[in-house]
Amino acid sequence: MTATSLPYKTIARLWHGFLKLMGVGPVSLFRFPAACAIVGFLVVHPVSTLAFALPAIGDMPDSIMVQGKTVVLKDLQNPLRQDQANLAKNIHEGGAVYFKKCFFCHGDHLDGKGLLGERFFPPPADFTHTNSVIDLPESYAYWRIMKGGPGLPKKFAPWNSSMPAWENQLTEDEVWKVILFIFSRASERKYPEPQKIDLKPSLERGRELHLEKCAYCHGDSGKGDGPSAKYSSPQPRNFTKSHIKIRSTAFGKIPTDQDIFDRITLGMTGTTMPGWSHLSTSDRWSLVLYLKSLGRKFKRFEDKGKKHEPILIPDPPPFTLESLADGKELFLQNCSGCHGVRGRSDGASTHKIVDLDSDAIWPRNLGKPWTFRRGNSRKQLFMTLRTGLSTTSMPRFSPRIFNDQQIWDIVNYVQTLSPPKKPVLKKVITVKSIEGEVPSTPMNPAWRSVESFFIPLGGQVLDAEKLYFPGVDNIVVKAVHNNDVISIYLHWDDPSYDPILAQTASVEESPPPPLPEHLRIDEPEKEEARKPIEAQEFPDALAVQFPVTLDESGERPYFLNGDSKRPVNLWKWQSHPNGVLEMNATGLKQWTTQPKENHLILSYADYRFGRYSLVLSRKLKTDDVENDVQFAKAVKIPIAFNVWDGSQGEEGTKKAISSWFEMILE
Amino acid sequence: MANKPLKPKKLTISAMIFRPLISTLIFLLVPGIAFSGSIKGKITYSAQVKIPKSVDTGKYKKACGAEVPNEKLLVNEKGLMNAVVLIEGKKLGGKPGEYKLDQKNCRYVPHVMAMMKDSKLNIHSSDPINHNLHSYSFDNDPVNVMFLPNQDDFELEFEEPEIIKVECDLHGWMTAWIVVTDNSFFDISGQNGNFKIPDLPPGKYTINAWHEVLGSKSQTVTVGKGETVINFDFSDVAPQVSKK
């Protein structure tokens, strides 16, 4: 997020907080630009270190081969550009392509901040700022789309880019249309027309904006059935039913106008719905008017003279350990049934409420507050508990059930289930040097003093068969070595484990919420009541990927499982049969397993309360230098990860993937 | 006091015209008092199907009782129970009512309810453990409320006709159905599949029978004075789990 997309209020609040912290008195407004600069620097800086410079126009080849024919790029024009009569139609059709294929990474706003924008690096191109493709000839965009990351010149490290080569996935016509769309939409953002300041909100303006901005996802008639709907999870809201997930009113009640306005402004964190704070206030109110007109409920509400009963948030009481303890008990009694005892959405009843086909998605993993739709502040959590989330299984806890203090108790406990901030992305994983034996199991306390590295994962959206919404969106890695053996610790949250793992590994499931003592029964579960343990159709799996050989020039295999010239070595752990396969690959689909007698990696896995933990260890050097990665100290060794959530049907190319990271042995 | 001999009243012209008119109006407007029909019938299901097993409550034995009957498909001597029979049409009107739904021994009592729109529903929990009542409604406001033991009842009102599934997210076997109708002319088939809809003004109607796993069937019927018999047979339908 850059400073420009942070709402003014947030920036002001941060600045006020900062000054308060520094003991500085009241803030005058003219200090605001300085605040912007500081916040902007802090927010932008970590990203800019990973930024990617677009190749210059001079880096573009003279000609490329596309579907068997040579296309000369010099002087190549967009053939649809001159067709003025159909220009609007072609732009619109290009939008439909964009909102099926491109928006995951490049974002609804074409600013590179799509849902997967932060999962891969180099980050996706931002079309709305300096160095945008829209300032270059359209033939340049044609080249970049057709050839993608793999077609980049060497100095731009084509092996790192997650931009697919679209030449075999889109028709030439679709490519030209999507270029029309990108040029038209991005220039609106890059070179905005001055806004008329006191334009009054109107239904007509709302309709116009809806068709232009919202319909690609929410559909022309607002039924949530736009071209991108199939590529969205959760799916876009159907406005004709008037249910809005995030409100200040009770579960199932219609939202206030301000609720709708706030949702348009802020978006839905962790979904394909971005915030629209760059639209003028008047435009956003026009959208509110229009969205309300799509369902019957708002009018009926007004006709009956009803009044909203928004829920108010009292001032939070101070945090106490007593409140935390009470909160834990309340959480186990009332929340763990779905969220699980550690908050990793693995509750005993969770399987009952999740049905991905009908858009009933997993309850939030409370260890990942950066995916909370409303936000993770105490007040926001209070609001979610008091109002529930309409259209989901998250109920509301009204004052009929819990008093304010009890809600704060739960809030206090929930906040302890996660790190205070989203872990910062570090591209280099330090492999700590230790004395003596390396820890070979996940529960070994030696891991506690080893630094954790957060690895974001995105769906494999590059080539068929694709996976848009993987079950696992990040892993955590630690690594140590003792000059002889390297040991890699990995954990990832998966609310549904492969049941057969219980036969070969230690498994602990979230128990159902405790019953009052007098209602408990001591007898063991009846044998017949237990289902026979069967393996999942597809195992849960994780693969660690290394280049087979380390190239001193810095060239690497393609991040997506290598290429024909540069194979990768993969250590693939599977839940069934529980163990590691040593594999090699020269591409997404070109995988081979090494003969069993060559397998040298030891693995130890367990599953506890919604989380897989795994340790893989191997000697730094092996005899098979042709196929196995060889570790050396003080050298940057590329490392990447693939994860499959078998219970969601993930297998083969349908998997979560990471960009290349680097590992350095101390 | 002696009764006066009744003297025939002299009918005025106006009375001669208005009295029959008024009685005709009463007759037309107040069904049941003057002249109305009724529909009765039986819903049958004779296909051979496995009777769904009752649910073993496992560790909830003390809280719920060892078993909870499975009420998805109840057939007694070919009579299908818990089918909702209703007459289509908003104009028929009627009076919304007040209804009660209990959560007792980890089941919803009753399992199937029907009520006219704008009726009030009072939800109670008699159980010593938590329940959460989650309604899958789209035209009405959906409900998702927790019930802790000894908690206040929860009142709600349905404004739109809709078939609503109710579930407890904590106890998988708990399901109920609420059929919200346009008018008050409906019934739920009893143990032997019998139903009766009384006090129906004469006319031509569409009558629907709906069952949670067998779906719905519809017929047209002309109701006159007295009883009209309409039967529904679902034997040709295979049971299916209804979608949310």
Side-chain angles (χ1 to χ4, degrees), chain A residues 300 304 334 352 512 526, chain B residues 56 59 130 159-160 168:
Chain A
R300 200 172 55 202
K304 287 191 174 177
N334 302 289
K352 193 184 141 23
K526 280 187 218 157
Chain B
D56 185 335
K59 58 190 164 299
N130 280 10
E159 294 180 319
E160 300 281 332
C168 173

Side-chain angles (χ1 to χ4, degrees), chain A residues 277-297:
Chain A
S277 55
H278 59 282
L279 296 185
S280 72
T281 311
S282 153
D283 275 355
R284 279 175 274 155
W285 281 113
S286 295
L287 277 169
V288 173
L289 286 176
Y290 181 66
L291 298 191
K292 283 174 69 184
S293 76
L294 291 171
R296 283 180 298 172
K297 288 197 165 160

